[in-house]
Amino acid sequence: MTVLNSLIRPLVRDLHAYVPGEQPKIKGLIKLNTNENPYPPSPRVLAAVKAAVDGRLRLYPNPTARALREKLAKLHGCMPENIIVGNGSDEVLALAIRAFVEPTLEGRVPQVPNQSKSGTRGARPSKTVQYFTPSYSLYPVLADIHSAAKNVVSLKPDFGLPSVKELKHGKQWDFDAALTFVTTPNAPSGRGYKTLELEKLCRALKGVAVLDEAYVDFANENALKLALKFPHVLVARTFSKAYSLCFQRVGYFVGHPELIAALDKIRDSYNVNGLGQIAAVATLDDLKYYRANFKSIISTREWLGRELTKLGFRVLPSQTNFILAQPPKFPAQDWLQKLRDKKILVRWFSAPEVRNYLRITIGTQAEAAALVKAVRGIL
Ligand SMILES: Cc1ncc(COP(=O)(O)O)c(C=O)c1O
């Protein structure tokens, strides 16, 4: 061990950091690997951001993203106190672990659920962060950073949500988990879940439930009402995917003011940058533009699914801005390189449940057509 290494906490030394999708700067590359929106922010949003770039950059931004929270509250039919904004939804997900989950003293503990018999919310929850697999690959990293115990439970083979009855029967699910993340619609499968089944799951959980709705604008239903109905449910949303603002890093939670206030205590004072706040506010003033984009993306998604199916891919139904597709003829990992050789970048995950698939972000119709042409060439 080097001297400097010994200065680093063992937990951090052993940590496997989150691996974000590549952001290569290759001329002419069609980038379908990180679920970014192929359409730019609306002209009004760009104008608002440009107009804000002046001497005011020397000032701190509003510390509570007040104007943005007021607009979001109007949109969702709640109060600004129901909302906390973060530096992307990744930040609020991390805050939830820090606020609601006790770290374990010894670092990683065996993945054994702590099934208390108490059965009442408000009793001390277990120290567990719980989520389904596959789902957003950041959750285990956030849990590890916090030295939290993880309980990882498989989705059904078709990536459906197990019912409460099935979870009880399976015995692995921890209904007392301090914090449960549900990615809905699911990533990386793209599968959507009914609000009714999410409601049944939330009702049965004793700790905090986070419904991560990063992709919900491309879905048939959303579960926002559950965050306003159940005090222990938080819904996470982001401006990154549907609202073309990855670059600005703005995401938020909707939930009970008491949980929101707890999260508010532990965030950085100026966690949301000023231009991000301005861009997000302007976005909410121009929702018509974005709703038209959702329609285009959904129609391209359905077209691409049909075309790839004709070419022998097994394409899973998606309610997101990406599809998960099992390619024919070669292993999925080989396809990654074959497509890259044709200047098309998609995503492949090594996790056992999805290693036979490619995750393909829905681009413009022209990008989707280029992908289909490239696939034909490879076949
Ligand atoms: C399921 C899910 N949740 C949250 C996020 C994070 O989004 P943000 O850009 O708001 O941090 C992502 C981004 O890929 C995601 O896939």
mmCIF file of all heavy atoms in Angstrom, residues 131-136 152-162 167 173 181-183 186-191 193 201 353:
data_model
loop_
_atom_site.group_PDB
_atom_site.id
_atom_site.type_symbol
_atom_site.label_atom_id
_atom_site.label_comp_id
_atom_site.label_asym_id
_atom_site.label_seq_id
_atom_site.Cartn_x
_atom_site.Cartn_y
_atom_site.Cartn_z
ATOM 1 N N TYR A 131 -33.552 -2.549 -3.775
ATOM 2 C CA TYR A 131 -33.960 -2.226 -5.149
ATOM 3 C C TYR A 131 -34.044 -3.521 -5.949
ATOM 4 O O TYR A 131 -33.509 -4.553 -5.541
ATOM 5 C CB TYR A 131 -32.979 -1.247 -5.822
ATOM 6 C CG TYR A 131 -31.532 -1.619 -5.649
ATOM 7 C CD1 TYR A 131 -30.896 -2.446 -6.574
ATOM 8 C CD2 TYR A 131 -30.814 -1.188 -4.552
ATOM 9 C CE1 TYR A 131 -29.571 -2.820 -6.405
ATOM 10 C CE2 TYR A 131 -29.482 -1.550 -4.369
ATOM 11 C CZ TYR A 131 -28.876 -2.361 -5.294
ATOM 12 O OH TYR A 131 -27.571 -2.744 -5.113
ATOM 13 N N PHE A 132 -34.692 -3.420 -7.086
ATOM 14 C CA PHE A 132 -34.809 -4.580 -7.967
ATOM 15 C C PHE A 132 -33.604 -4.635 -8.903
ATOM 16 O O PHE A 132 -32.966 -3.630 -9.175
ATOM 17 C CB PHE A 132 -36.079 -4.492 -8.811
ATOM 18 C CG PHE A 132 -37.336 -4.674 -8.011
ATOM 19 C CD1 PHE A 132 -38.124 -3.578 -7.664
ATOM 20 C CD2 PHE A 132 -37.730 -5.928 -7.595
ATOM 21 C CE1 PHE A 132 -39.282 -3.747 -6.921
ATOM 22 C CE2 PHE A 132 -38.881 -6.112 -6.862
ATOM 23 C CZ PHE A 132 -39.662 -5.017 -6.520
ATOM 24 N N THR A 133 -33.340 -5.827 -9.390
ATOM 25 C CA THR A 133 -32.345 -5.963 -10.440
ATOM 26 C C THR A 133 -32.972 -6.643 -11.639
ATOM 27 O O THR A 133 -33.752 -7.582 -11.453
ATOM 28 C CB THR A 133 -31.095 -6.730 -9.947
ATOM 29 O OG1 THR A 133 -30.127 -6.719 -11.008
ATOM 30 C CG2 THR A 133 -31.398 -8.162 -9.571
ATOM 31 N N PRO A 134 -32.729 -6.152 -12.890
ATOM 32 C CA PRO A 134 -31.918 -4.984 -13.136
ATOM 33 C C PRO A 134 -32.706 -3.691 -12.887
ATOM 34 O O PRO A 134 -33.907 -3.642 -13.080
ATOM 35 C CB PRO A 134 -31.596 -5.118 -14.634
ATOM 36 C CG PRO A 134 -32.777 -5.813 -15.216
ATOM 37 C CD PRO A 134 -33.268 -6.748 -14.137
ATOM 38 N N SER A 135 -31.977 -2.670 -12.450
ATOM 39 C CA SER A 135 -32.556 -1.312 -12.441
ATOM 40 C C SER A 135 -31.379 -0.335 -12.521
ATOM 41 O O SER A 135 -30.293 -0.746 -12.971
ATOM 42 C CB SER A 135 -33.473 -1.073 -11.246
ATOM 43 O OG SER A 135 -32.796 -1.130 -10.033
ATOM 44 N N TYR A 136 -31.572 0.871 -12.102
ATOM 45 C CA TYR A 136 -30.546 1.904 -12.324
ATOM 46 C C TYR A 136 -29.252 1.509 -11.595
ATOM 47 O O TYR A 136 -29.264 1.323 -10.368
ATOM 48 C CB TYR A 136 -31.086 3.236 -11.825
ATOM 49 C CG TYR A 136 -30.232 4.439 -12.111
ATOM 50 C CD1 TYR A 136 -29.341 4.481 -13.177
ATOM 51 C CD2 TYR A 136 -30.344 5.576 -11.308
ATOM 52 C CE1 TYR A 136 -28.576 5.615 -13.436
ATOM 53 C CE2 TYR A 136 -29.597 6.717 -11.560
ATOM 54 C CZ TYR A 136 -28.711 6.718 -12.622
ATOM 55 O OH TYR A 136 -27.958 7.839 -12.869
ATOM 56 N N VAL A 152 -30.971 -6.808 -2.819
ATOM 57 C CA VAL A 152 -31.200 -6.724 -4.260
ATOM 58 C C VAL A 152 -32.088 -7.896 -4.684
ATOM 59 O O VAL A 152 -31.715 -9.049 -4.482
ATOM 60 C CB VAL A 152 -29.854 -6.795 -5.026
ATOM 61 C CG1 VAL A 152 -30.071 -6.497 -6.497
ATOM 62 C CG2 VAL A 152 -28.833 -5.852 -4.415
ATOM 63 N N VAL A 153 -33.248 -7.582 -5.207
ATOM 64 C CA VAL A 153 -34.234 -8.624 -5.519
ATOM 65 C C VAL A 153 -34.534 -8.594 -7.023
ATOM 66 O O VAL A 153 -34.697 -7.519 -7.605
ATOM 67 C CB VAL A 153 -35.523 -8.391 -4.689
ATOM 68 C CG1 VAL A 153 -36.608 -9.392 -5.057
ATOM 69 C CG2 VAL A 153 -35.195 -8.478 -3.197
ATOM 70 N N SER A 154 -34.603 -9.792 -7.613
ATOM 71 C CA SER A 154 -34.810 -9.869 -9.068
ATOM 72 C C SER A 154 -36.222 -9.467 -9.472
ATOM 73 O O SER A 154 -37.195 -9.834 -8.802
ATOM 74 C CB SER A 154 -34.576 -11.296 -9.554
ATOM 75 O OG SER A 154 -33.209 -11.587 -9.472
ATOM 76 N N LEU A 155 -36.293 -8.742 -10.567
ATOM 77 C CA LEU A 155 -37.585 -8.550 -11.227
ATOM 78 C C LEU A 155 -37.993 -9.893 -11.809
ATOM 79 O O LEU A 155 -37.193 -10.835 -11.832
ATOM 80 C CB LEU A 155 -37.443 -7.530 -12.355
ATOM 81 C CG LEU A 155 -37.264 -6.070 -11.946
ATOM 82 C CD1 LEU A 155 -36.902 -5.216 -13.160
ATOM 83 C CD2 LEU A 155 -38.525 -5.518 -11.274
ATOM 84 N N LYS A 156 -39.197 -9.992 -12.340
ATOM 85 C CA LYS A 156 -39.593 -11.232 -13.006
ATOM 86 C C LYS A 156 -38.753 -11.395 -14.279
ATOM 87 O O LYS A 156 -38.164 -10.412 -14.753
ATOM 88 C CB LYS A 156 -41.070 -11.148 -13.362
ATOM 89 C CG LYS A 156 -41.978 -11.106 -12.148
ATOM 90 C CD LYS A 156 -43.370 -11.348 -12.658
ATOM 91 C CE LYS A 156 -44.404 -11.056 -11.653
ATOM 92 N NZ LYS A 156 -45.691 -11.605 -12.050
ATOM 93 N N PRO A 157 -38.703 -12.593 -14.837
ATOM 94 C CA PRO A 157 -37.868 -12.797 -16.037
ATOM 95 C C PRO A 157 -38.216 -11.841 -17.181
ATOM 96 O O PRO A 157 -37.357 -11.474 -17.968
ATOM 97 C CB PRO A 157 -38.156 -14.251 -16.416
ATOM 98 C CG PRO A 157 -38.608 -14.897 -15.151
ATOM 99 C CD PRO A 157 -39.306 -13.841 -14.357
ATOM 100 N N ASP A 158 -39.480 -11.397 -17.251
ATOM 101 C CA ASP A 158 -39.845 -10.438 -18.315
ATOM 102 C C ASP A 158 -39.712 -8.990 -17.815
ATOM 103 O O ASP A 158 -40.273 -8.078 -18.410
ATOM 104 C CB ASP A 158 -41.269 -10.716 -18.810
ATOM 105 C CG ASP A 158 -42.305 -10.517 -17.692
ATOM 106 O OD1 ASP A 158 -41.922 -10.254 -16.531
ATOM 107 O OD2 ASP A 158 -43.515 -10.612 -17.991
ATOM 108 N N PHE A 159 -38.981 -8.801 -16.731
ATOM 109 C CA PHE A 159 -38.725 -7.499 -16.117
ATOM 110 C C PHE A 159 -39.980 -6.868 -15.500
ATOM 111 O O PHE A 159 -40.020 -5.691 -15.199
ATOM 112 C CB PHE A 159 -38.061 -6.512 -17.103
ATOM 113 C CG PHE A 159 -36.806 -7.069 -17.722
ATOM 114 C CD1 PHE A 159 -36.775 -7.457 -19.058
ATOM 115 C CD2 PHE A 159 -35.662 -7.238 -16.963
ATOM 116 C CE1 PHE A 159 -35.630 -7.997 -19.624
ATOM 117 C CE2 PHE A 159 -34.505 -7.776 -17.519
ATOM 118 C CZ PHE A 159 -34.483 -8.155 -18.846
ATOM 119 N N GLY A 160 -41.032 -7.677 -15.335
ATOM 120 C CA GLY A 160 -42.229 -7.210 -14.640
ATOM 121 C C GLY A 160 -41.957 -7.100 -13.140
ATOM 122 O O GLY A 160 -41.010 -7.682 -12.604
ATOM 123 N N LEU A 161 -42.842 -6.336 -12.488
ATOM 124 C CA LEU A 161 -42.718 -6.133 -11.042
ATOM 125 C C LEU A 161 -43.381 -7.308 -10.319
ATOM 126 O O LEU A 161 -44.551 -7.598 -10.580
ATOM 127 C CB LEU A 161 -43.481 -4.845 -10.721
ATOM 128 C CG LEU A 161 -43.082 -3.955 -9.574
ATOM 129 C CD1 LEU A 161 -41.638 -3.523 -9.657
ATOM 130 C CD2 LEU A 161 -44.006 -2.734 -9.560
ATOM 131 N N PRO A 162 -42.683 -7.972 -9.420
ATOM 132 C CA PRO A 162 -43.361 -9.037 -8.663
ATOM 133 C C PRO A 162 -44.475 -8.424 -7.804
ATOM 134 O O PRO A 162 -44.337 -7.299 -7.325
ATOM 135 C CB PRO A 162 -42.246 -9.609 -7.763
ATOM 136 C CG PRO A 162 -40.968 -9.063 -8.301
ATOM 137 C CD PRO A 162 -41.289 -7.794 -9.025
ATOM 138 N N LEU A 167 -43.664 -11.316 -3.568
ATOM 139 C CA LEU A 167 -42.511 -10.872 -2.772
ATOM 140 C C LEU A 167 -42.537 -11.516 -1.384
ATOM 141 O O LEU A 167 -41.501 -11.908 -0.845
ATOM 142 C CB LEU A 167 -42.501 -9.346 -2.651
ATOM 143 C CG LEU A 167 -42.186 -8.594 -3.955
ATOM 144 C CD1 LEU A 167 -42.415 -7.095 -3.787
ATOM 145 C CD2 LEU A 167 -40.743 -8.853 -4.396
ATOM 146 N N TRP A 173 -37.524 -10.257 -0.125
ATOM 147 C CA TRP A 173 -37.880 -8.835 -0.068
ATOM 148 C C TRP A 173 -37.986 -8.389 1.381
ATOM 149 O O TRP A 173 -38.527 -9.110 2.228
ATOM 150 C CB TRP A 173 -39.207 -8.622 -0.795
ATOM 151 C CG TRP A 173 -39.589 -7.182 -0.960
ATOM 152 C CD1 TRP A 173 -40.529 -6.501 -0.254
ATOM 153 C CD2 TRP A 173 -39.053 -6.257 -1.914
ATOM 154 N NE1 TRP A 173 -40.619 -5.206 -0.703
ATOM 155 C CE2 TRP A 173 -39.720 -5.029 -1.719
ATOM 156 C CE3 TRP A 173 -38.072 -6.337 -2.904
ATOM 157 C CZ2 TRP A 173 -39.440 -3.888 -2.485
ATOM 158 C CZ3 TRP A 173 -37.794 -5.215 -3.664
ATOM 159 C CH2 TRP A 173 -38.468 -4.011 -3.456
ATOM 160 N N PHE A 181 -35.768 1.698 -3.721
ATOM 161 C CA PHE A 181 -35.821 2.401 -5.008
ATOM 162 C C PHE A 181 -36.567 1.530 -6.019
ATOM 163 O O PHE A 181 -36.248 0.344 -6.162
ATOM 164 C CB PHE A 181 -34.404 2.610 -5.562
ATOM 165 C CG PHE A 181 -33.570 3.630 -4.834
ATOM 166 C CD1 PHE A 181 -32.353 3.272 -4.256
ATOM 167 C CD2 PHE A 181 -33.974 4.965 -4.760
ATOM 168 C CE1 PHE A 181 -31.561 4.205 -3.613
ATOM 169 C CE2 PHE A 181 -33.187 5.907 -4.120
ATOM 170 C CZ PHE A 181 -31.974 5.530 -3.542
ATOM 171 N N VAL A 182 -37.497 2.140 -6.727
ATOM 172 C CA VAL A 182 -38.134 1.434 -7.846
ATOM 173 C C VAL A 182 -37.980 2.318 -9.085
ATOM 174 O O VAL A 182 -38.448 3.465 -9.085
ATOM 175 C CB VAL A 182 -39.637 1.174 -7.588
ATOM 176 C CG1 VAL A 182 -40.250 0.388 -8.742
ATOM 177 C CG2 VAL A 182 -39.836 0.430 -6.270
ATOM 178 N N THR A 183 -37.309 1.812 -10.098
ATOM 179 C CA THR A 183 -37.166 2.570 -11.342
ATOM 180 C C THR A 183 -38.398 2.296 -12.180
ATOM 181 O O THR A 183 -38.633 1.153 -12.585
ATOM 182 C CB THR A 183 -35.915 2.102 -12.116
ATOM 183 O OG1 THR A 183 -34.826 1.976 -11.211
ATOM 184 C CG2 THR A 183 -35.549 3.080 -13.205
ATOM 185 N N ASN A 186 -38.975 0.984 -15.889
ATOM 186 C CA ASN A 186 -37.697 0.376 -15.530
ATOM 187 C C ASN A 186 -36.601 0.742 -16.533
ATOM 188 O O ASN A 186 -36.838 0.884 -17.720
ATOM 189 C CB ASN A 186 -37.859 -1.149 -15.481
ATOM 190 C CG ASN A 186 -36.560 -1.861 -15.140
ATOM 191 O OD1 ASN A 186 -35.922 -2.459 -16.000
ATOM 192 N ND2 ASN A 186 -36.141 -1.783 -13.890
ATOM 193 N N ALA A 187 -35.407 0.922 -16.012
ATOM 194 C CA ALA A 187 -34.202 1.003 -16.844
ATOM 195 C C ALA A 187 -33.311 -0.130 -16.343
ATOM 196 O O ALA A 187 -33.249 -0.348 -15.138
ATOM 197 C CB ALA A 187 -33.509 2.338 -16.670
ATOM 198 N N PRO A 188 -32.680 -0.899 -17.195
ATOM 199 C CA PRO A 188 -32.544 -0.683 -18.628
ATOM 200 C C PRO A 188 -33.551 -1.441 -19.496
ATOM 201 O O PRO A 188 -33.375 -1.467 -20.714
ATOM 202 C CB PRO A 188 -31.137 -1.226 -18.895
ATOM 203 C CG PRO A 188 -31.013 -2.395 -17.954
ATOM 204 C CD PRO A 188 -31.787 -2.007 -16.717
ATOM 205 N N SER A 189 -34.605 -2.013 -18.924
ATOM 206 C CA SER A 189 -35.487 -2.828 -19.782
ATOM 207 C C SER A 189 -36.483 -1.975 -20.555
ATOM 208 O O SER A 189 -36.973 -2.397 -21.595
ATOM 209 C CB SER A 189 -36.238 -3.871 -18.945
ATOM 210 O OG SER A 189 -37.256 -3.248 -18.189
ATOM 211 N N GLY A 190 -36.841 -0.797 -20.014
ATOM 212 C CA GLY A 190 -37.837 0.053 -20.671
ATOM 213 C C GLY A 190 -39.266 -0.305 -20.291
ATOM 214 O O GLY A 190 -40.213 0.350 -20.707
ATOM 215 N N ARG A 191 -39.432 -1.322 -19.491
ATOM 216 C CA ARG A 191 -40.770 -1.798 -19.145
ATOM 217 C C ARG A 191 -41.504 -0.799 -18.219
ATOM 218 O O ARG A 191 -40.925 -0.316 -17.247
ATOM 219 C CB ARG A 191 -40.661 -3.161 -18.470
ATOM 220 C CG ARG A 191 -42.001 -3.652 -18.073
ATOM 221 C CD ARG A 191 -42.110 -5.114 -17.933
ATOM 222 N NE ARG A 191 -43.481 -5.365 -17.518
ATOM 223 C CZ ARG A 191 -44.116 -6.482 -17.696
ATOM 224 N NH1 ARG A 191 -43.518 -7.481 -18.271
ATOM 225 N NH2 ARG A 191 -45.354 -6.631 -17.285
ATOM 226 N N TYR A 193 -44.653 0.244 -15.563
ATOM 227 C CA TYR A 193 -45.446 -0.396 -14.509
ATOM 228 C C TYR A 193 -46.716 0.394 -14.263
ATOM 229 O O TYR A 193 -46.726 1.621 -14.336
ATOM 230 C CB TYR A 193 -44.622 -0.494 -13.210
ATOM 231 C CG TYR A 193 -43.356 -1.290 -13.393
ATOM 232 C CD1 TYR A 193 -42.128 -0.784 -12.971
ATOM 233 C CD2 TYR A 193 -43.371 -2.541 -14.019
ATOM 234 C CE1 TYR A 193 -40.955 -1.510 -13.150
ATOM 235 C CE2 TYR A 193 -42.211 -3.265 -14.205
ATOM 236 C CZ TYR A 193 -41.010 -2.746 -13.767
ATOM 237 O OH TYR A 193 -39.859 -3.464 -13.956
ATOM 238 N N LEU A 201 -47.453 -1.997 -3.873
ATOM 239 C CA LEU A 201 -46.102 -2.204 -3.333
ATOM 240 C C LEU A 201 -45.799 -1.148 -2.265
ATOM 241 O O LEU A 201 -45.333 -1.467 -1.162
ATOM 242 C CB LEU A 201 -45.079 -2.141 -4.477
ATOM 243 C CG LEU A 201 -43.624 -2.306 -4.073
ATOM 244 C CD1 LEU A 201 -43.388 -3.681 -3.449
ATOM 245 C CD2 LEU A 201 -42.692 -2.136 -5.284
ATOM 246 N N GLU A 353 -28.526 -10.488 -16.244
ATOM 247 C CA GLU A 353 -29.906 -10.443 -16.766
ATOM 248 C C GLU A 353 -29.998 -9.731 -18.107
ATOM 249 O O GLU A 353 -30.975 -9.892 -18.830
ATOM 250 C CB GLU A 353 -30.847 -9.697 -15.793
ATOM 251 C CG GLU A 353 -30.836 -10.137 -14.359
ATOM 252 C CD GLU A 353 -29.820 -9.352 -13.527
ATOM 253 O OE1 GLU A 353 -28.813 -8.876 -14.072
ATOM 254 O OE2 GLU A 353 -30.047 -9.237 -12.317
#
